[in-house]
Amino acid sequence: MTYQPRFIFLLILAVFSLMFILSLPVQAVSAPVPSNKTQFCLGCHSQLNPGLVSDWENSRHSWMTPQKALEKDKLKRRFSAENIPTELKDKTVGCAECHLLNPEKHKDTFNHNGQKVHTIVSPQDCATCHPKEHAQYKKNKMSFAYKNLVNNLVYDMIISTSNGLLDYDPKEGISKLKEPDRLSNEDSCLFCHGTKVKVTGIVDRNTPMGTMEFADLQGWPNQGVGRINPDGSLGSCSACHARHEFSIAMARQPHTCSECHKGPDVPAYKVYEVSKHGNIFFSRANKWNLDPVPWTVGQDFTSPSCASCHVSLLVQKGGSLIINRSHQMNDRLYSRIFGLPYAHPQPKSPDTSIIKNKSGLPLPTELSGEPVDTFLIGKQEQESRKKQMKKVCLSCHSAQWTDNHFIKLDRSLETTNHMTKQATKILKTAWQEGLAKGLSAEDSITNELIELQWVEQWLFYGNSIRFASAMAGADYGVFANGRWYQHKNLRIMIDRLKNLRQRAKGSN
Amino acid sequence: MTYQPRFIFLLILAVFSLMFILSLPVQAVSAPVPSNKTQFCLGCHSQLNPGLVSDWENSRHSWMTPQKALEKDKLKRRFSAENIPTELKDKTVGCAECHLLNPEKHKDTFNHNGQKVHTIVSPQDCATCHPKEHAQYKKNKMSFAYKNLVNNLVYDMIISTSNGLLDYDPKEGISKLKEPDRLSNEDSCLFCHGTKVKVTGIVDRNTPMGTMEFADLQGWPNQGVGRINPDGSLGSCSACHARHEFSIAMARQPHTCSECHKGPDVPAYKVYEVSKHGNIFFSRANKWNLDPVPWTVGQDFTSPSCASCHVSLLVQKGGSLIINRSHQMNDRLYSRIFGLPYAHPQPKSPDTSIIKNKSGLPLPTELSGEPVDTFLIGKQEQESRKKQMKKVCLSCHSAQWTDNHFIKLDRSLETTNHMTKQATKILKTAWQEGLAKGLSAEDSITNELIELQWVEQWLFYGNSIRFASAMAGADYGVFANGRWYQHKNLRIMIDRLKNLRQRAKGSN
Amino acid sequence: MTYQPRFIFLLILAVFSLMFILSLPVQAVSAPVPSNKTQFCLGCHSQLNPGLVSDWENSRHSWMTPQKALEKDKLKRRFSAENIPTELKDKTVGCAECHLLNPEKHKDTFNHNGQKVHTIVSPQDCATCHPKEHAQYKKNKMSFAYKNLVNNLVYDMIISTSNGLLDYDPKEGISKLKEPDRLSNEDSCLFCHGTKVKVTGIVDRNTPMGTMEFADLQGWPNQGVGRINPDGSLGSCSACHARHEFSIAMARQPHTCSECHKGPDVPAYKVYEVSKHGNIFFSRANKWNLDPVPWTVGQDFTSPSCASCHVSLLVQKGGSLIINRSHQMNDRLYSRIFGLPYAHPQPKSPDTSIIKNKSGLPLPTELSGEPVDTFLIGKQEQESRKKQMKKVCLSCHSAQWTDNHFIKLDRSLETTNHMTKQATKILKTAWQEGLAKGLSAEDSITNELIELQWVEQWLFYGNSIRFASAMAGADYGVFANGRWYQHKNLRIMIDRLKNLRQRAKGSN
């Protein structure tokens, strides 16, 4: 601990704070102001991180108070709390209001100029004003994105295959796949899924203000949707509501979802780009009003973005409700088109790590294709969810249009499942004949060429075709990354099986 | 037939209609209004499909009458009719004006609250006001996109390969490719090419207004460019002019074309994205004026979009004509860079199903590369079309720039054709040596691995390189999806031939 | 030479010039005007190339004079010259000011209506007003993009592989790769890298003004960053500052960089698209102010584009400097993540054709991975450059966030280098065992299947993963084009080696 620089620091701080206060526009008494604590923060940080502070200044948080928000009509409110702690009511929502919340719950709390500050504002902190959104999000599989990934044997194998270092000795022909390191995982899968943030201690850092203490964080930076926060809560609101503007207008744009839904495993954005919906968005959205709550179909926007169908509170002109806001998201989804390895009804619990199929694998379907009913929603719930989604469709489309769309989707689920089944038969045969090493040989099922091809069959091609069908962006599902390759990949697997058999014969 | 709900329905209808009429803004007497019939439609549908109705309200159709349009200077008109049926002249163009047109011609006509309504407004309906556009579009290959696809043996094989279900028995090593089902085709190839819409009968449907009759449509929804409509007409204007705004500004944006021209078979949009033209569009178009007719180069827009070069009526500042509008589109195109399997002069007729090469295949070139002259435009017509296109180029580029651009393109046609020829030689050898089964073995020519690779050689790599060259987006044509893979794919085919020969030897 | 049309031409010219002058808005005496020479140019070209002239009219060049610019505060200046030639000072920067500059230095100078005009305005011409930018750009590897490419044996092999015509005789099994022709190279690699522009003579061309003389250019059109210009200078300012608007606002948009940085070899734009930075840009940039100099973080823009991090002069609110403008670009880059074949410290000189590793290859690393230190910057310079870049990061992020980001990046450099090393071991083994022909067999090292796979290992997958890591767009680096394929490609190479050994055995 160094004490001397503190004095210098306090001096600098005083000067900066004064400068900042003098720079504030003269305002009428009634205009909401930041709390004293927040003004203290801004004193330094508006100089140190000007972009960060500007972002906040552009945010609704910077000029609105919870009290004023509470006075609004319910449908127009952007938060769900009925009671706000008194000390937060009358000030704008600034640095201090969030970064000083619940210090006792935060393992990342540290002393910062006499305040108990934490770096990571968690969903639990946000829930102070947004409790309903938090409660809904807890039922969203996304909040379990870390847990469901790392606690699942099959996913874990895919992580190892992608991120592990392979050592190969070409003379001996021996390959060894090492377990991936933490940094590699955090720079790939966990970037979207979320990291487990650990506080490894309190460290001194040199800063422009002198040496200061900070909580040292492992797994940070990260904004993954299933992040395990130092206060034990799950997720990161800023995954979609980017810091420090926390804009609903941004979360409503497909660019936000595209951060994690663009790859061939979940190509929602790619499909949107070739859909009529996407065309209208990209051609017209610069004239839309992306900010209002509630969001009026046809008036504020003229084509759905991801949020319109999956999250947003929608009304029609005049204000009658079309559909309620949902941060659970899958309450409008009847099938899970992300195959594991087959498309299947949505799981009941967001925690999918509890799922086991008959052969003991942590998958919602058998390898032969049957869904593992116990863990999945039933027909009635499926119908009810489909009906919810159709409410959105019917805003612009006729019932016949809408019904026929879902009939086509259901057929795509069947055909892609069929093609996955053929691939699985080939793989199982390879295992049975000893041409590849599967679980019974206590080996990974995603590390040999024929296994990689099997994974691609459902993870890339099956998923792509289903997304293209669900979101009416056919072009992506044919030649770009869909039906053509789904067939070709099967031919490659058939050929591979032949090859492996020949090799086996040759070596006898 | 249920009659009782009708009374409830009429009551609801009356209330809604009254609500709607009261909601209309008080307007001066002279402002154009919707027809009574349209107002009747809006009574319910503004509640049932608010987004659809808003779209129309945002359209020029909702506030313009044909009569007023006729009074405009010819170059400024957005339609081409000289005579408009009297009953359509003085009212805005609303629901009734389109959905009640030509009821006797429409097999999808059904009774709807006493009116003979049809769901699908066809190009023939639009031709009432836009006859020239319709006539031009009939000469556009796009209007034959369904027919040319399904009536062509080779294309049909590619459809089967992409969409058919493959059954594989790994024990016996027997694979069976089933014919694709209708829904799969409609959810993939026919999404863009267009479906054949059939009326299968009149059905009752439960609606918020009670049970009502509707024409039951097969092949619907669809907006494909070569759709066969229930009135026998070809195409769908809303493929590019999205319902119900029918905006010229949207059709002029590349996002519209990208719905069908983004995959590796016709990657026009991908190429545009890496071209200087695309860069300027994406950086600047939010300041452009995309709506005016005519469209003034340099004033309304500063870089071509797809429409500028292929469709739009362009003038220069002051109003002198640069080039006329064309819905035929290929009248500015001298070569068809979409290889079948080789690039070739544009076909004379938009109906390409009539083409046969010497070996009887429905292709505009021989398998050895020679174009099938009888069906293709001659040198003179090619030169004349190239000159048309250059008019657009010369708006911003010098003659030397422009000429040299096309010299480079012509070289790309030669080199890609050469590389396709090598691939074809390999495939023919495989057929001749019995290592793959082609037409002489009465088998598909696109279902074995070496055949798939042959298809990719021209459909993916040849086409991509040519589009990259034609639209000056070189980056796409090198490593993204072009020359690198064109060479690699040939190496794979060479290697495959070796492999097949070895296997054949081994099995002897 | 035809003289007669000259008279007709002069008549037309007079009429056009008069028309043009009359069309100019009446301006106050003090408003800057184009020079007489420029007005003469505009007389014809505003009719002949209206889009080109409009672009210029939209540019700052058309209404600003160097003299007025010199009167501005230094930080606000858009050019760096302290002294401007007198004859250029008081007029706007029009056609004549650039296309008549330094005629004696330009081999492409030709007589055009009595003026010594050159087509290609080179960086040396631009340096008249922008000398500092030119001097910096000379230290930028991009200015050597042509030279570094064509003078490097290994790159040359990759060009041949991509662009050469392959002849294959399937009967004899003999393949022959021809050297690529000039037009193919110019339509692919050299499109971005730049061509060598040669003047092949003076030719007559028919123009709307009659027959006229022009310098005939080879390697034209081209706007590549390392273009060899007829005056001997390197590069093309219009690569990023598109003619004839030369807009800084456009150069600051990622669309500009995407023209050449989108393919799998340098997928910067693809990574940006899935990064939080990209999300904010695409969601928000239509509200940004992209034009001001200097550029204020948080006020003018709220998320970095490519330029913010790599080029732009940034200040914070109030005007204090964050970082200086740089057209050298790599002065903020400590490592070169573009592997050759391994990631390595930035080279000292922009001319990388001078680099030789121990085995005599023109690569900055040994095939076994060690960097060739002599030609690369040292640790201290690396640290200093990293610090420069961090200045930008710290505008919005904490020190911990920033530091940890680069720790993750450094780990990605290690892991991707490791995976490249395995691929290289396999390839070397294949060469040693005579299963592929490398340098010692006097053969290309990028023309056999196993060699192509080796190139893809670092050029596509290694690079993609590193870009995804460097720019925090993880989604691209996992399944889209990254870690999954990096592993799979290695498995394919291992399998290939087995196959080649078996074939070799079989043929004995």
Side-chain angles (χ1 to χ4, degrees), chain B residues 30 37 67 148 161 200 250 274 321 326 337 359 408 463:
Chain B
S30 64
K37 284 185 180 172
Q67 178 58 43
N148 287 346
T161 294
T200 55
M250 230 181 96
V274 293
L321 184 73
S326 158
I337 62 178
S359 42
K408 275 201 286 186
N463 282 354

Side-chain angles (χ1 to χ4, degrees), chain A residues 361-432:
Chain A
L361 282 171
L363 296 171
T365 63
E366 305 300 333
L367 280 184
S368 47
E370 297 76 33
V372 186
D373 289 336
T374 335
F375 298 100
L376 308 177
I377 63 171
K379 284 264 173 238
Q380 206 176 342
E381 175 67 12
Q382 280 197 297
E383 280 313 306
S384 146
R385 292 188 181 190
K386 194 190 268 187
K387 209 174 161 187
Q388 282 298 102
M389 180 58 94
K390 283 186 178 178
K391 283 184 188 172
V392 183
C393 309
L394 291 167
S395 302
C396 298
H397 297 289
S398 74
Q400 184 169 196
W401 179 287
T402 306
D403 290 349
N404 284 359
H405 168 77
F406 286 104
I407 289 170
K408 275 201 285 187
L409 172 56
D410 286 338
R411 179 64 187 150
S412 286
L413 303 189
E414 285 168 23
T415 59
T416 51
N417 279 353
H418 176 92
M419 295 294 268
T420 295
K421 191 166 181 170
Q422 309 310 307
T424 310
K425 280 196 294 187
I426 296 169
L427 183 59
K428 277 172 141 177
T429 304
W431 286 339
Q432 282 157 11

Side-chain angles (χ1 to χ4, degrees), chain A residues 276 279 284 317 469 484 501, chain B residues 57 187 239 245 259 456:
Chain A
K276 181 67 79 190
N279 173 9
R284 289 315 214 182
K317 274 185 195 175
S469 182
W484 174 264
R501 279 171 175 165
Chain B
E57 286 171 347
D187 209 18
E245 197 183 345
E259 285 184 42
E456 292 182 5

Side-chain angles (χ1 to χ4, degrees), chain A residues 6 109-117 202 212-214:
Chain A
R6 282 274 161 106
T109 297
F110 60 100
N111 284 311
H112 190 60
N113 301 318
Q115 297 294 334
K116 287 182 182 300
V117 169
I202 299 293
M212 298 180 85
E213 284 182 359
F214 294 93

Side-chain angles (χ1 to χ4, degrees), chain A residues 10 33 83 140 218 281 364 399:
Chain A
L10 283 174
V33 289
N83 299 298
N140 185 333
Q218 202 182 73
F281 174 86

Side-chain angles (χ1 to χ4, degrees), chain B residues 225-276:
Chain B
V225 294
R227 193 178 65 200
I228 315 275
N229 297 304
D231 68 352
S233 67
L234 302 182
S236 161
C237 301
S238 62
C240 304
H241 300 278
R243 293 165 316 124
H244 280 97
E245 197 183 345
F246 310 109
S247 154
I248 200 171
M250 230 181 96
R252 281 169 172 173
Q253 296 199 42
H255 310 295
T256 293
C257 313
S258 90
E259 285 184 42
C260 298
H261 294 272
K262 204 169 191 181
D265 49 328
V266 279
Y269 186 85
K270 295 253 182 187
V271 168
Y272 186 71
E273 283 187 306
V274 293
S275 72
K276 181 67 80 190

